[in-house]
Amino acid sequence: MSDSPLPKKFLRLLKPRLPQMLETLGRFVTAESPSLEKAAADRCCGVIAEEWSKHAARVDRIARKQRGDLLCIAHAPGKSRVSGQLLVLGHYDTVYSTGTLARMPFRVKAGKAYGPGTFDMKAGIVQALFALEALQKGEIPLGKRIVFLWTSDEEIGSEASRKIFETEARRSDAVFVLEPSFGPRGLLKTARKGVGEAELIVHGRASHAGLAPQEGINAIHELARQLARIEKWNDLQHGITINTGIIEGGTRTNVIPERARAVLDLRALRVSDMRSLERRLHALRPLQRGARLEITGGFDRPPLERKMSAALFARAKALARQMQLGLGECTVGGGSDGNFTAALGIPTLDGLGAVGDGAHSSHEHVLINTMPQRAALLAALLATS
């Protein structure tokens, strides 16, 4: 990519706006928005909608019955010839229940902004808002319509929002995901593992452990042997992991257990590995005569394969270089809504949000001096895509 004056121009516009970015972040964070509490999430949705309505002509609030409402903001250049669409995607829900602010208040200290949801991912929404402001103030002629979509249930699987953002993704030439970046260097996430969950239930036969152990079929023993087999399927080098996270079984020590259960976390970097792992799970057979296996579940979030991010990352890296910023990439095990858009065949670049640390923890924070840089990078990507 040849040098463009836009990245530096956006950075010049956005650096003086840092105090306003922090004020906006504070308003968003103090409007608590747990995924499972619709009333609270809706209040936060209203706060975000009010702020965006100051910058965009059209802010649509999409009602949801059980989850918080979604926000869809469309920015179409009035006089430019528009051909195509870009989707900026993120979520405002957090993993923190109402009342968390009492022990984890929003605060700024030593160059960091702390609080529930600062890093994951309300700072990303703030950066997108000011990126739009920079595009507007810079009077940049845009060739594509831009849609900003903020969902309310990403942290719990995106069931209420998936159809909406997949519809917008299909209309788009590229998707930019404002999930937080990785590590102190703010690495973009160019690959994410597919994520799933499977349940393995063993049915045995109960019997008295002392009087008639030979008449029983020990479901826990069978489950243990199956899990030892499954554990060998882990292949860290190729990004395949199976984690047994829950085990249940038995009633009393003097009873041969007739039922045992395990819940497995499944992750894979490639669709082919994902399907292979599902086939192996469902092909399991009992090792103990008379036992019966019941296997359900599988992958529900496809991987974001790097091939879907490579070209966009190359552009982002070149634009960052023009601001004298280094930009790296990484592969992560966690999933996001970018997994779904990439699986549709839409180029998707993830991790464009905040730089910081501590997602889902008491020390969650963002590095405030990086916020104008990230906003400028997003504005440059939107202006040149």
Side-chain angles (χ1 to χ4, degrees):
M1 175 182 293
S2 59
D3 281 355
S4 164
L6 291 179
K8 291 181 180 179
K9 178 178 182 177
F10 291 139
L11 193 56
R12 284 195 302 270
L13 286 170
L14 287 164
K15 277 187 173 181
R17 300 290 286 160
L18 180 57
Q20 289 72 33
M21 295 176 83
L22 287 174
E23 289 175 11
T24 305
L25 179 61
R27 284 194 291 275
F28 289 1
V29 172
T30 52
E32 294 180 291
S33 52
S35 310
L36 297 173
E37 299 179 39
K38 177 172 172 56
D42 280 346
R43 285 193 292 272
C44 180
C45 183
V47 171
I48 296 173
E50 180 180 4
E51 198 64 38
W52 277 79
S53 66
K54 299 174 184 177
H55 298 267
R58 180 176 173 183
V59 178
D60 290 329
R61 185 162 172 167
I62 305 171
R64 302 285 90 180
K65 288 184 179 180
Q66 295 181 319
R67 305 299 175 214
D69 294 346
L70 315 184
L71 278 181
C72 186
I73 302 103
H75 175 67
K79 296 181 180 180
S80 301
R81 294 186 62 185
V82 177
S83 61
Q85 174 174 296
L86 301 173
L87 176 61
V88 182
L89 181 60
H91 65 92
Y92 70 82
D93 63 310
T94 75
V95 300
Y96 305 94
S97 58
T98 299
T100 300
L101 280 168
R103 65 178 187 276
M104 190 179 163
F106 177 77
R107 66 194 192 281
V108 178
K109 182 181 179 182
K112 299 176 181 178
Y114 293 85
T118 49
F119 183 51
D120 188 14
M121 54 149 278
K122 290 181 177 178
I125 298 175
V126 173
Q127 289 165 193
L129 174 65
F130 282 82
L132 175 60
E133 178 189 276
L135 289 169
Q136 293 169 329
K137 286 188 174 180
E139 299 181 341
I140 306 302
L142 299 175
K144 290 182 170 63
R145 178 176 185 260
I146 304 172
V147 171
F148 300 86
L149 182 58
W150 311 127
T151 70
S152 61
D153 64 339
E154 190 274 343
E155 297 288 5
I156 54 172
S158 307
E159 182 179 353
S161 58
R162 181 175 173 180
K163 288 184 179 179
I164 302 293
F165 68 70
E166 285 188 336
T167 297
E168 290 298 339
R170 289 189 179 97
R171 296 170 178 159
S172 303
D173 301 310
V175 179
F176 301 104
V177 183
L178 271 291
E179 287 282 347
S181 62
F182 183 80
R185 293 191 295 127
L187 303 179
L188 299 194
K189 298 168 180 176
T190 53
R192 285 183 178 270
K193 290 185 179 182
V195 183
E197 183 178 290
E199 183 180 58
L200 171 58
I201 299 175
V202 177
H203 299 276
R205 184 166 61 237
S207 184
H208 195 293
L211 298 178
Q214 73 282 358
E215 294 180 10
I217 300 172
N218 193 309
I220 290 178
H221 289 175
E222 175 69 25
L223 179 62
R225 294 170 71 186
Q226 294 291 346
L227 293 178
R229 171 193 282 181
I230 291 170
E231 193 274 336
K232 296 177 182 177
W233 299 351
N234 279 281
D235 186 347
L236 297 180
Q237 184 177 355
H238 293 95
I240 300 168
T241 60
I242 308 100
N243 177 62
T244 304
I246 299 172
I247 292 182
E248 298 171 346
T251 54
R252 294 175 180 269
T253 58
N254 63 349
V255 177
I256 303 292
E258 66 177 349
R259 185 180 185 275
R261 167 182 177 264
V263 182
L264 312 173
D265 177 273
L266 313 173
R267 298 186 188 248
L269 271 175
R270 290 174 285 273
V271 172
S272 57
D273 292 333
M274 184 176 78
R275 298 305 176 210
S276 175
L277 185 54
E278 287 177 330
R279 287 194 297 270
R280 294 182 78 177
L281 277 171
H282 289 278
L284 286 172
R285 296 294 178 263
L287 298 169
Q288 188 177 180
R289 179 175 294 180
R292 180 170 63 86
L293 305 185
E294 181 183 346
I295 302 154
T296 57
F299 283 84
D300 55 13
R301 194 180 289 261
L304 192 171
E305 299 193 50
R306 189 184 180 279
K307 63 184 180 182
M308 300 308 301
S309 298
L312 290 176
F313 174 71
R315 181 183 302 152
K317 187 174 182 178
L319 291 167
R321 190 183 302 119
Q322 292 165 31
M323 293 186 286
Q324 284 75 54
L325 299 174
L327 192 65
E329 63 177 311
C330 66
T331 297
V332 294
S336 81
D337 289 337
N339 293 51
F340 292 122
T341 62
L344 297 174
I346 313 301
T348 299
L349 187 58
D350 204 336
L352 282 162
V355 180
D357 196 12
H360 303 187
S361 79
S362 60
H363 66 279
E364 179 167 341
H365 65 271
V366 299
L367 303 179
I368 61 176
N369 67 336
T370 64
M371 293 181 69
Q373 299 168 2
R374 286 287 162 146
L377 177 60
L378 177 62
L381 281 166
L382 295 174
T384 59
S385 294

